[in-house]
Amino acid sequence: MLFRLRLSFEKQVIRFLFYLHLKKAGRKNYSLKPRLFWGAQPILNFKYWNEALKSDGYDSKTLMTDYFETINKKEDFDEYTSDIKRPLFLKPFGYMWRRFPHLEKIHIILYIAKKFDIINTSYLGIIFKDSKLWKEELLFYKKCGIKLVVLPYGADYQMYSKLYSKSWQHVLLINYPKGAKQEPIISAKVEFFTQHADCIMAGFEYDQAGRWDILPYAIYPMDCTLWKPKQKYNGNNGRNGVVKVYHTPNHRGVKGTEFLMEAVEELKKEGLMVELVLLEKIKNDKVRELLYSDADILVEQLILGYALSAIEGMATGLPVITNFEDEMYTRVFRRYSYLNECPMVSSCPERIKEDLRILVTNPALREELGKAGRKFAQKYHSYDAMKAIFNAIFDKIWYNKPVDLINFFNPHKKESYNNRTEKVIHPLKENRIPAEMKQP
């Protein structure tokens, strides 16, 4: 009872402060270039999107609640909520009502409302994301004239019981079992954003999505100027020398690491000289160095789709193996997006040994796929690609221009992004290695 009274009191005070801000601020000027917010979950995607749009002349900033020390550096992000000073007129709230945690954060929300025009975030939410007042915050931004762009990353919207792939659900339960208990709140937030977001850019994990406004297969950005393409490829074929297979599992379950380890051991028993290198909890700059200098093949994940590691491998010019096997997740992207241009080899736990054998023993194919991968990363995941994607989104939601976002990647439309530049050519057939390239 005391908690409910306290929450009700906080809510009324917060609503009053929101009202005062709205009275003072007035309406947004939609003729001006929008100021961009990225956050507040400290994922590297936000860092890269922010850098891409800054380089395009936007006033853009990341604002995070914290950062992951194992994979991030503090300087990866521009600002943290702890950096924002409470205004003088709000300081008495902090001293008088220390038992009211929402009031302790209200100045951050008012800061965001004042400083930004477009909020780019996940389904998780922002400052009140872990509280019962998350909806109050988001509706306040809407009343301020701020536009909301949703960029899901996984844990913010995956409702385990609704996943198409039961294998994917199983590996999530291996590595992220607590996520299964978050389904009610995730469902409520997905429903809210479905109704109120100005743009939702979903990727291949769209099981629960009632709506998307633009259809890239994956929304991972990459600074391709940092990731140098290989200048010289290893000519070993596993018989005349070692071929190195790299794998970067932050969590082995979701990546299918056990199946890869078994496959490599079996290939070794067959007499192939193949070495598996696991990079776990390694800083990003070290990963970049090793992929460029030492790797011959990158196996991204064997259960579902691809993520940032695959883009890093392609940007380096490596042949990449991942999983595009489930038609429920891929067919719409072959028809209406760019998946058929993707030169990654599709594999799975049951076929990884066979596909690895082909790549290990065929250095010419490794080089061909690696060079095509570099072109794909530049075309669909580079900063230039991100500028094109987000400028189209902002033209639609901020300047109210007649942009056909839903067909932005439609390969059958002459004016689509896919057809603005040369198509990425590779020898794969729907990401499978053709029969004629397989060993007898």
Side-chain angles (χ1 to χ4, degrees):
M1 174 63 98
L2 181 60
F3 172 78
R4 286 198 296 270
L5 287 172
R6 186 184 300 163
L7 184 64
S8 177
F9 173 76
E10 279 188 296
K11 185 184 292 188
Q12 295 307 316
V13 174
I14 286 168
R15 284 178 174 175
F16 177 68
L17 292 173
F18 285 169
Y19 170 78
L20 291 179
H21 176 89
L22 289 169
K23 290 286 285 184
K24 180 181 178 182
R27 296 184 60 80
K28 294 283 183 182
N29 187 342
Y30 294 106
S31 65
L32 299 177
K33 198 166 188 176
R35 300 163 297 171
L36 310 179
F37 168 101
W38 309 86
Q41 188 73 3
I43 55 176
L44 281 173
N45 288 353
F46 286 137
K47 170 191 174 181
Y48 296 142
W49 284 319
N50 177 53
E51 289 179 349
L53 274 296
K54 270 185 178 178
S55 71
D56 205 30
Y58 284 89
D59 180 358
S60 183
K61 183 179 288 187
T62 51
L63 175 62
M64 302 299 166
T65 52
D66 54 7
Y67 68 101
F68 304 128
E69 290 191 35
T70 54
I71 57 175
N72 298 141
K73 295 176 288 188
K74 187 174 183 180
E75 56 268 28
D76 282 339
F77 304 109
D78 296 322
E79 199 168 23
Y80 293 87
T81 52
S82 58
D83 299 327
I84 300 173
K85 304 301 181 185
R86 187 180 292 109
L88 287 175
F89 81 94
L90 284 176
K91 282 192 175 182
F93 291 107
Y95 298 130
M96 294 170 59
W97 300 325
R98 293 187 184 277
R99 294 187 178 182
F100 301 100
H102 299 95
L103 288 172
E104 285 287 304
K105 298 177 182 178
I106 191 66
H107 65 290
I108 304 171
I109 294 172
L110 296 176
Y111 171 86
I112 292 170
K114 181 180 179 181
K115 295 290 186 180
F116 301 101
D117 302 307
I118 296 179
I119 289 175
N120 301 279
T121 189
S122 69
Y123 283 116
L124 195 64
I126 310 173
I127 304 305
F128 285 167
K129 63 182 185 295
D130 298 320
S131 82
K132 292 182 179 294
L133 298 183
W134 63 269
K135 193 179 293 185
E136 294 279 340
E137 177 190 1
L138 297 173
L139 288 173
F140 168 64
Y141 295 139
K142 293 291 290 183
K143 290 175 183 176
C144 290
I146 294 172
K147 304 297 183 180
L148 300 178
V149 177
V150 180
L151 306 163
Y153 66 93
D156 60 321
Y157 73 102
Q158 288 171 330
M159 289 174 265
Y160 291 8
S161 69
K162 296 182 181 180
L163 294 172
Y164 299 148
S165 169
K166 293 299 130 178
S167 289
W168 185 239
Q169 181 180 357
H170 182 74
V171 296
L172 288 173
L173 289 168
I174 291 173
N175 286 136
Y176 312 105
K178 292 181 180 178
K181 300 178 182 180
Q182 303 300 314
E183 197 159 314
I185 185 62
I186 291 174
S187 178
K189 290 183 177 181
V190 169
E191 182 179 349
F192 174 88
F193 278 111
T194 299
Q195 295 296 320
H196 296 285
D198 296 281
C199 181
I200 297 175
M201 184 158 64
F204 64 91
E205 296 175 75
Y206 55 85
D207 314 63
Q208 305 86 12
R211 159 193 166 200
W212 52 82
D213 301 291
I214 185 170
L215 191 66
Y217 181 82
I219 59 175
Y220 306 108
M222 174 61 55
D223 184 355
C224 289
T225 62
L226 283 180
W227 296 77
K228 297 183 297 181
K230 282 184 173 293
Q231 301 301 310
K232 185 177 180 181
Y233 284 82
N234 179 7
N236 293 346
N237 62 13
R239 298 186 181 92
N240 61 1
V242 173
V243 175
K244 290 190 176 182
V245 178
Y246 268 65
H247 182 56
T248 58
N250 285 332
H251 295 94
R252 293 189 179 192
V254 295
K255 297 288 187 177
T257 305
E258 60 195 301
F259 302 104
L260 175 61
M261 295 173 72
E262 289 176 3
V264 169
E265 288 305 310
E266 289 175 13
L267 290 173
K268 285 181 177 179
K269 290 176 183 177
E270 292 179 8
L272 284 180
M273 289 183 280
V274 55
E275 180 182 336
L276 177 62
V277 180
L278 299 180
L279 297 182
E280 298 179 278
K281 293 180 171 49
I282 304 294
K283 296 286 187 182
N284 203 240
D285 51 356
K286 185 62 175 178
V287 172
R288 184 165 61 245
E289 174 190 331
L290 289 170
L291 291 185
Y292 177 78
S293 63
D294 197 52
D296 300 310
I297 299 167
L298 177 70
V299 178
E300 214 272 350
Q301 50 191 356
L302 297 175
I303 308 301
L304 181 68
Y306 71 86
L308 195 57
S309 177
I311 312 301
E312 294 170 348
M314 287 194 295
T316 310
L318 290 172
V320 178
I321 296 176
T322 195
N323 186 317
F324 296 128
E325 297 296 296
D326 195 329
E327 285 271 316
M328 292 283 283
Y329 290 96
T330 58
R331 184 54 55 189
V332 66
F333 295 100
R334 298 197 188 283
R335 291 173 176 166
Y336 300 108
S337 193
Y338 51 75
L339 188 55
N340 283 338
E341 282 190 64
C342 180
M344 283 189 272
V345 174
S346 177
S347 194
C348 59
E350 293 74 28
R351 218 178 55 248
I352 181 59
K353 177 183 171 182
E354 174 190 349
D355 291 325
L356 258 185
R357 184 191 292 112
I358 296 167
L359 288 181
V360 168
T361 58
N362 194 332
L365 178 60
R366 295 201 303 268
E367 183 171 350
E368 183 177 8
L369 292 176
K371 290 180 176 178
R374 172 70 184 185
K375 292 178 181 178
F376 182 85
Q378 288 178 308
K379 181 173 180 178
Y380 290 107
H381 294 283
S382 67
Y383 280 10
D384 285 341
M386 296 304 115
K387 293 174 191 176
I389 292 167
F390 282 102
N391 276 321
I393 292 172
F394 300 155
D395 279 348
K396 176 84 170 181
I397 69 172
W398 186 253
Y399 297 112
N400 200 29
K401 294 182 180 180
V403 179
D404 188 12
L405 283 183
I406 199 70
N407 285 306
F408 187 82
F409 291 111
N410 190 331
H412 310 289
K413 301 281 186 179
K414 290 182 180 180
E415 66 278 9
S416 74
Y417 177 82
N418 309 39
N419 294 316
R420 295 180 195 173
T421 56
E422 184 180 353
K423 184 178 179 181
V424 178
I425 304 298
H426 57 80
L428 305 179
K429 305 298 181 184
E430 295 200 344
N431 299 101
R432 295 278 191 92
I433 299 172
E436 60 268 23
M437 301 185 102
K438 297 180 180 181
Q439 298 294 325

